[in-house]
Amino acid sequence: MKALLLKKYMELELTELPQPELGSTDVLVRVRACGICGSDVHGLDGSTGRRIPPLVMGHEAAGVIAETGRDVRGWKSGDRVTFDSTVSCGQCHFCRRGEINLCDNRQVLGVSCGDYRRHGAFAEYVAVPANILYRLPESLAFDDAAMIEAVSIAVHAVNLTPRSLGDTAVVVGSGMIGQLTIQAAQAAGFGRVFAVDIDDAKLEMARKMGAAESFNSKHVDVAAEIAARTGGRGADAALEAVGATDPIRTAIACVRKGGTVTLIGNITPKIELPLQQVVTRQIRLQGSCASSGEYPACIELLSSGAIRVDTMISARTPLDEAANWFDRLYRHEPNLMKVIVQP
Ligand SMILES: [Zn+2]
Ligand SMILES: [Zn+2]
């Protein structure tokens, strides 16, 4: 089969690989769409330590079942599917509690980090265990379905955020996950959702996605603006989709006493925390990792149009031109959000 192989750091090569071998509980999926994730782009240069070559990356995918393992029940070739990016064991303490994102034996598709190597979906075929599959309705296009993994991250974060109908939320960071979080927060019953970023084009998009207002934190005191719109109290919740000191400080400063800051982004490993502000205002900091069981809800939200992803897809490319798109994403070409590879 054709596959896009990370042969060594900064070198992607379109190559022929043998089709993946199927375990008895695996299915072989003919990949029809696979999104290029920021973590794949960062993985290119080895800085994250999670894409050790040789590796086929790609974990945001959808396709059609081509073959099923001996012990697979309930699935057949021809079924349209997507799958979780997390491969969970189903056996450990956390899996048995339904917290599959916290699985002790968690692996991620298209990642190799020293502990394991699991080839992903930038290839004609990928093998995945049947327990992570989800059925796609006919009406949902493969390209949109490849966005479900990203949608699930936003939906999971909102699910972890305490709220009452009509509460006010601030989403800090208006990249793709931020845009999806704005939409998920509205679908979950938040009233006004405010968007924050340092890029005016992203803020404009956030308003199109339904943000009540948007603020450029380079130019205005965001906490003061939010206070002025919430009776001086601050928002009930903030969701942070960057993961660095400045935006996290902004998120903390924007919430009311007793409010929640849900932390989704993690581009930096450490931040400086305004501890006294958090303690004396009794603010809850809630980490959010991947998703656990939200895929069916995400399929529903996409099918109904409650969450829209079409405007976030910047380009579509066949496998043999995908390396160029990696390059453009790596060089931070402006106005590129999601690039979908169609192997
Ligand atoms: Zn991803
Ligand atoms: Zn487990």
Side-chain angles (χ1 to χ4, degrees):
M1 65 169 185
K2 273 203 259 177
L4 186 69
L5 185 72
L6 182 66
K7 210 174 164 190
K8 51 186 177 187
Y9 289 127
M10 299 310 290
E11 194 182 321
L12 282 167
E13 188 184 77
L14 186 69
T15 184
E16 280 292 323
L17 288 181
Q19 267 187 20
E21 288 193 14
L22 271 198
S24 66
T25 56
D26 291 343
V27 302
L28 188 69
V29 176
R30 174 69 180 90
V31 181
R32 301 293 301 278
C34 182
I36 301 180
C37 179
S39 64
D40 296 326
V41 178
H42 292 304
L44 268 186
D45 60 15
S47 57
T48 64
R50 291 185 50 84
R51 302 289 190 283
I52 302 169
L55 177 72
V56 178
M57 302 191 285
H59 57 267
E60 305 175 351
V64 179
I65 294 180
E67 201 183 320
T68 56
R70 179 164 32 88
D71 298 325
V72 172
R73 301 284 175 271
W75 300 97
K76 59 179 191 322
S77 43
D79 287 349
R80 302 171 86 247
V81 293
T82 186
F83 38 84
D84 206 328
S85 58
T86 296
V87 179
S88 48
C89 74
Q91 309 290 325
C92 73
H93 176 79
F94 296 98
C95 280
R96 294 176 71 173
R97 285 166 54 93
E99 297 174 324
I100 54 177
N101 55 331
L102 307 180
C103 172
D104 281 334
N105 306 303
R106 176 175 197 247
Q107 296 190 351
V108 181
L109 280 173
V111 164
S112 74
C113 56
D115 293 339
Y116 64 88
R117 164 172 289 115
R118 194 174 254 281
H119 289 310
F122 291 131
E124 288 180 300
Y125 295 93
V126 63
V128 298
N131 70 316
I132 66 168
L133 289 176
Y134 295 91
R135 207 174 294 281
L136 292 176
E138 282 300 327
S139 56
L140 197 57
F142 289 117
D143 292 357
D144 290 353
M147 299 286 288
I148 288 173
E149 200 253 355
V151 173
S152 77
I153 288 165
V155 170
H156 183 65
V158 171
N159 276 341
L160 287 174
T161 308
R163 67 197 172 275
S164 291
L165 203 60
D167 274 0
T168 300
V170 178
V171 175
V172 182
S174 301
M176 195 187 60
I177 297 294
Q179 303 283 353
L180 294 170
T181 302
I182 290 166
Q183 299 184 67
Q186 293 172 97
F190 277 101
R192 282 175 301 166
V193 179
F194 298 109
V196 179
D197 204 277
I198 51 172
D199 177 337
D200 286 329
K202 287 180 181 165
L203 291 172
E204 193 190 323
M205 184 169 184
R207 290 193 300 277
K208 284 186 189 143
M209 294 297 126
E213 283 181 81
S214 63
F215 303 101
N216 188 323
S217 54
K218 264 201 306 206
H219 303 136
V220 300
D221 178 349
V222 178
E225 298 291 335
I226 300 295
R229 286 159 178 77
T230 52
R233 287 186 301 276
D236 299 292
L239 297 107
E240 203 276 352
V242 184
T245 294
D246 283 348
I248 290 174
R249 273 177 180 278
T250 300
I252 290 170
C254 282
V255 294
R256 62 165 168 80
K257 287 183 275 188
T260 298
V261 175
T262 300
L263 302 168
I264 313 167
N266 66 347
I267 54 166
T268 57
K270 288 182 183 173
I271 60 142
E272 204 176 300
L273 182 73
L275 177 66
Q276 292 181 337
Q277 221 183 340
V278 171
V279 173
T280 61
R281 304 180 72 240
Q282 197 169 296
I283 288 164
R284 177 199 303 242
L285 299 181
Q286 169 72 56
S288 180
C289 174
S291 68
S292 61
E294 280 97 348
Y295 268 58
C298 294
I299 291 170
E300 197 58 43
L301 289 163
L302 282 183
S303 300
S304 71
I307 292 186
R308 283 162 42 207
V309 295
D310 47 327
T311 47
M312 275 158 242
I313 299 176
S314 313
R316 297 165 167 84
T317 173
L319 200 55
D320 47 7
E321 283 160 36
N324 291 332
W325 283 100
F326 262 93
D327 191 46
R328 293 170 70 168
L329 289 162
Y330 188 80
R331 287 185 285 106
H332 298 289
E333 192 175 301
N335 304 321
L336 277 185
M337 243 177 209
K338 182 61 70 185
V339 175
I340 302 281
V341 180
Q342 299 170 319

